[in-house]
Amino acid sequence: MAIVETKNIKKTYKQGKVIVEALCGVDLIVDKAEFVALAGPSGSGKTTMLNIIGGLDVPDSGSVIVDNNRFADMNQAGLASLRLHKIGFVFQAFNLIPVLSAIENVEYVMLLQGVPKIERYDRAKEILDDVGLKGKYDRRPAELSGGQQQRVAVARAIVSGPAIVLADEPTANLDSKTGEDLVLMMKKMNTGKKVTFIFSTHDNMVMDYASRLVTIKDGLIVNDENRS
Amino acid sequence: MYIILAWRNIWRNPRRTIVILLAVIIGVWSMIFLGALMRGMETQMVKNSISTLTGSIQIHHKDYRNDPVVENSMNDIDKLDKALSTILDPGTHWAKRVRVNAIASNARHAGGVTLVGIEPEKEAKISFIGKAMISGRFLLAEDKNKIIVGKAFLKKFNTKIGNKLILMSQDTQKEIASKAFRIIGIFSAESEAVEKQIVFVPISQAANMLKMGESISEISIMLPRLDITGRNETRAAEKLIAAINDDTFVIETWHQLLPMMKAYLKMSGFFLYIWYFVVFIAMGFGIVNTTLMAIFERMREFGLMKALGMRPFQIIKGVVTETFFLLVLGILTGNILGFLSVFAIAINGIDLSALAAGVQMWGIPRILYPEIWAQDVVVAGLVVLLLGILVSLYPAFKAARVTPAQAMTKN
């Protein structure tokens, strides 16, 4: 069952006077519970693709459907609501709100969703335990390592049971051991909780854990390899 | 959590928060402090003015104010006495007066004065003269040919207690009446002009000299509490007008009797609010600048929040909540400092006697006691709070407009 479906996505950016073609007609279908890696060199269009799937950016042409929601039919408020309820995000860096503790960061999305306080707290605690941060609930981001911060970000992304989690180079700022631990943890969530992950990377070690590897080059998918 | 988030955000950069807090505190303090000085001056000016024979309300013959001569005196006093006794609230005092322009002369000097015939015991309760004696004694109702004069008068006429003074004025038969009085007491007033101008004798002596019989020039009424807005006085005057119901009498409040004072109060209040606005303009730029700096530093964070599904109005709410905390903290501290400094100064007042000549001309007291009015504190607080929130909307909207994709790619 397709959870993400993009058709002929095109996107150009203007950098000064130069027009850069970031995506040149990308078709991608991702099924539920897949663990998809978008690979490719820097500037290939991985982040743009993730931003468009996440409703953070708008394509020049083409269509995007996420969990049966066609983006072309939605306004900004609708997209914000979709992101809140259906999509989890993990960014490369600056993932957490610095003045909130780990558990408050995880609770934050549920707060926006209107989940009652006690339920919020219990669910946040449980998911932090699942990602291996038991006992570190009250630490602020500055008191956590890079890997632990990314784990909090993953916990926040999956706590509300989203249709997909989009992770933009989640291991890029981590050492290889911590990066591998994070990918293993994401894989565990994927297999255990059936969470669909789409993540970008150019790290071969991370690609090895992907059940599907989609390679993008110069704004086009050049390879789509199922590894499961 | 919104509140926790806002509170923690304002303390992310304590130095910057303290700087803007200081701006708000100093602004609010200056509003409270200057307001208290101005209000203290206004209140004392009004008190001085109404205790210098004006009172809260006066009753005259309808033509007396235009032409203050003995012919324009009031005759039907019993009717007035009855109305005053029944209509006015307990604690209200009033006294009758004979008041005419006269010439005072002695062997060394002659000059114009205002001869005021008073009921000594009652007058002491309604005007400054009750607490103004500095030498000799106050008048008694049964005193004959006795007069009290001001300290400055004594110097001007080069005279002293025990000396005689001749007073001349026109009587009810349009003849020149004159009478010799002996000085028995000296009073001091806030204004040197009052000390030089006004002389007091018992009402019976003045009436006798001017052949007025039972007639009087005015009744001065002092209500238990001064209302600087004049509303209490107006209400009491309206009740008296209705009860007396005689158009040969004119009943006026101090607001009508002292139009210059009324105009000054209005102007002074206006200037105070202009001052509030000027202070706020300076403060407002600080608030906008600081909030903008904080917003630009946190653009990626706002992008993250929007990516997570936060709506623009929720971002505006967050930024405004931060400004609200800053302003409330500043307003509270500014108020505390304002109250403390006003109370400290109110113990001894501010001595303006070095500026005596200048301040007396405007009826400003020699010692100024600041006075805090609740309405000024509320207005100052509201001006800072509401306008502060208003100006913070600009950075808040800027934060709300950021798109997640742009913000997240910023370094």
Side-chain angles (χ1 to χ4, degrees):
Chain A
M1 187 186 123
I3 203 94
V4 174
E5 189 175 348
T6 71
K7 275 188 189 159
N8 198 26
I9 297 291
K10 290 183 180 171
K11 179 74 183 175
T12 53
Y13 290 112
K14 214 173 168 186
Q15 282 185 340
K17 289 179 181 172
V18 182
I19 306 276
V20 178
E21 288 189 87
L23 295 174
C24 312
V26 177
D27 297 323
L28 179 70
I29 293 173
V30 176
D31 288 332
K32 190 166 168 52
E34 276 198 283
F35 197 66
V36 183
L38 297 182
S42 291
S44 57
K46 304 185 295 290
T47 300
T48 305
M49 189 65 193
L50 284 178
N51 282 347
I52 286 173
I53 294 171
L56 302 178
D57 211 345
V58 183
D60 297 336
S61 63
S63 71
V64 184
I65 299 169
V66 172
D67 201 27
N68 298 321
N69 295 281
R70 184 182 292 274
F71 285 10
D73 302 337
M74 301 170 83
N75 58 15
Q76 283 302 315
L79 283 175
S81 176
L82 184 81
R83 287 198 297 269
L84 180 61
H85 295 281
K86 302 279 184 184
I87 305 172
F89 287 96
V90 180
F91 297 100
Q92 184 177 332
F94 207 83
N95 252 310
L96 305 177
I97 299 167
V99 292
L100 296 182
S101 65
I103 197 161
E104 287 167 342
N105 263 289
V106 177
E107 276 187 76
Y108 190 70
V109 173
M110 291 187 280
L111 171 79
L112 297 176
Q113 289 172 336
V115 176
K117 193 177 176 181
I118 295 172
E119 187 186 338
R120 249 175 19 220
Y121 183 80
D122 290 343
R123 277 167 61 183
K125 208 170 148 187
E126 190 185 326
I127 204 82
L128 282 173
D129 292 347
D130 286 349
V131 299
L133 290 174
K134 192 168 187 168
K136 296 188 169 63
Y137 313 129
D138 296 324
R139 292 208 186 165
R140 297 264 182 106
E143 296 162 343
L144 295 169
S145 68
Q148 288 170 332
Q149 286 184 35
Q150 290 302 70
R151 280 166 186 264
V152 176
V154 171
R156 185 190 58 201
I158 61 176
V159 71
S160 305
I164 49 166
V165 172
L166 304 175
D168 186 12
E169 307 217 21
T171 60
N173 288 349
L174 306 177
D175 62 66
S176 56
K177 171 75 176 68
T178 315
E180 189 171 7
D181 288 347
L182 183 77
V183 178
L184 276 169
M185 188 270 290
M186 284 164 56
K187 184 79 183 167
K188 190 176 135 198
M189 294 296 146
N190 168 250
T191 48
K193 294 181 185 286
K194 303 291 177 206
V195 180
T196 311
F197 276 87
I198 306 175
F199 55 95
S200 63
T201 185
H202 49 241
D203 183 336
N204 289 329
M205 177 272 294
V206 176
M207 290 175 212
D208 289 343
Y209 287 97
S211 55
R212 182 176 165 196
L213 181 65
V214 177
T215 309
I216 300 180
K217 193 176 176 190
D218 298 331
L220 283 168
I221 293 178
V222 291
N223 188 34
D224 191 344
E225 182 189 346
N226 198 327
R227 297 175 155 196
S228 54
Chain B
M1 197 186 286
Y2 286 116
I3 290 170
I4 292 172
L5 187 60
W7 179 254
R8 288 182 190 165
N9 272 330
I10 65 173
W11 294 109
R12 280 167 103 161
N13 189 333
R15 193 180 299 172
R16 187 169 57 208
T17 298
I18 286 167
V19 168
I20 189 64
L21 261 181
L22 279 176
V24 177
I25 289 167
I26 291 169
V28 172
W29 171 82
S30 75
M31 287 173 169
I32 304 271
F33 190 71
L34 189 83
L37 289 183
M38 283 182 71
R39 296 308 191 187
M41 191 155 72
E42 283 174 12
T43 304
Q44 282 170 264
M45 281 168 74
V46 171
K47 276 184 180 166
N48 287 346
S49 297
I50 68 170
S51 73
T52 308
L53 305 186
T54 305
S56 311
I57 298 169
Q58 282 190 355
I59 306 175
H60 296 108
H61 181 273
K62 65 182 169 58
D63 297 322
Y64 178 83
R65 289 248 288 146
N66 285 334
D67 188 10
V69 293
V70 284
E71 290 94 321
N72 293 330
S73 301
M74 298 183 288
N75 300 314
D76 195 358
I77 307 305
D78 288 344
K79 184 179 180 180
L80 293 175
D81 265 334
K82 199 176 160 191
L84 291 171
S85 314
T86 52
I87 297 297
L88 294 174
D89 293 336
T92 305
H93 297 284
W94 64 89
K96 295 165 198 152
R97 294 185 191 131
V98 164
R99 184 165 169 169
V100 290
N101 292 327
I103 302 289
S105 61
N106 66 3
R108 294 182 176 86
H109 195 81
V113 293
T114 301
L115 167 62
V116 183
I118 56 172
E119 298 176 288
E121 206 175 315
K122 291 183 177 176
E123 187 68 35
K125 291 177 183 164
I126 68 161
S127 72
F128 77 100
I129 197 67
K131 291 174 185 163
M133 297 307 295
I134 53 168
S135 183
R137 70 166 174 87
F138 190 50
L139 293 168
L140 299 170
E142 60 273 21
D143 276 340
K144 291 195 186 338
N145 308 328
K146 301 287 190 286
I147 191 167
I148 57 174
V149 300
K151 190 172 66 179
F153 179 96
L154 224 56
K155 199 173 166 190
K156 182 180 170 186
F157 279 73
N158 194 15
T159 187
K160 60 183 182 186
I161 289 177
N163 284 2
K164 276 195 171 179
L165 191 68
I166 310 296
L167 293 182
M168 275 193 300
S169 188
Q170 184 182 284
D171 66 18
T172 50
Q173 281 137 37
K174 298 190 170 42
E175 298 294 336
I176 294 297
S178 68
K179 194 172 175 71
F181 291 90
R182 193 172 297 281
I183 298 169
I184 58 158
I186 313 296
F187 67 84
S188 158
E190 276 289 340
S191 157
E192 206 176 88
V194 170
E195 290 177 1
K196 282 179 184 168
Q197 182 63 28
I198 295 172
V199 295
F200 294 97
V201 299
I203 193 167
S204 58
Q205 296 298 296
N208 179 261
M209 171 185 156
L210 300 166
K211 301 187 177 61
M212 290 175 70
E214 295 296 312
S215 300
I216 58 169
S217 307
E218 69 186 19
I219 294 176
S220 180
I221 301 161
M222 187 65 88
L223 298 181
R225 277 187 313 279
L226 165 68
D227 178 4
I228 210 148
T229 65
R231 281 194 281 270
N232 278 348
E233 287 82 347
T234 304
R235 270 197 296 275
E238 283 168 355
K239 282 202 290 192
L240 278 174
I241 290 167
I244 293 166
N245 194 24
D246 184 340
D247 59 9
T248 60
F249 300 119
V250 174
I251 300 170
E252 293 164 299
T253 67
W254 66 266
H255 262 228
Q256 295 159 302
L257 295 162
L258 303 168
M260 287 283 283
M261 178 61 71
K262 187 185 170 186
Y264 171 79
L265 293 176
K266 204 172 169 186
M267 191 176 69
S268 164
F270 182 67
F271 279 136
L272 187 62
Y273 292 138
I274 286 182
W275 169 247
Y276 284 5
F277 193 68
V278 168
V279 169
F280 179 78
I281 294 286
M283 203 191 297
F285 277 109
I287 292 169
V288 171
N289 188 39
T290 308
T291 317
L292 269 179
M293 279 164 65
I295 295 298
F296 283 129
E297 274 178 15
R298 285 158 51 199
M299 269 310 176
R300 290 192 64 165
E301 196 175 311
F302 289 119
L304 170 71
M305 287 170 163
K306 284 190 89 172
L308 295 178
M310 201 171 188
R311 303 278 178 84
F313 84 88
Q314 289 172 310
I315 290 183
I316 293 171
K317 192 169 114 182
V319 174
V320 168
T321 308
E322 289 173 30
T323 312
F324 175 82
F325 277 136
L326 265 177
L327 293 171
V328 167
L329 209 59
I331 291 167
L332 284 177
T333 317
N335 269 292
I336 291 169
L337 284 181
F339 276 72
L340 286 177
S341 50
V342 167
F343 284 135
I345 284 175
I347 295 168
N348 296 316
I350 299 173
D351 191 352
L352 301 177
S353 51
L355 313 166
V359 298
Q360 278 178 32
M361 190 170 73
W362 295 99
I364 297 170
R366 288 172 191 173
I367 307 284
L368 175 60
Y369 293 95
E371 191 176 282
I372 292 175
W373 285 19
Q375 73 176 58
D376 293 337
V377 175
V378 172
V379 169
L382 284 180
V383 162
V384 173
L385 190 64
L386 297 181
L387 293 183
I389 284 173
L390 197 69
V391 297
S392 76
L393 285 177
Y394 169 62
F397 273 97
K398 241 178 156 41
R401 271 206 303 267
V402 66
T403 61
Q406 282 173 343
M408 297 304 288
T409 52
K410 276 188 179 17
N411 288 317

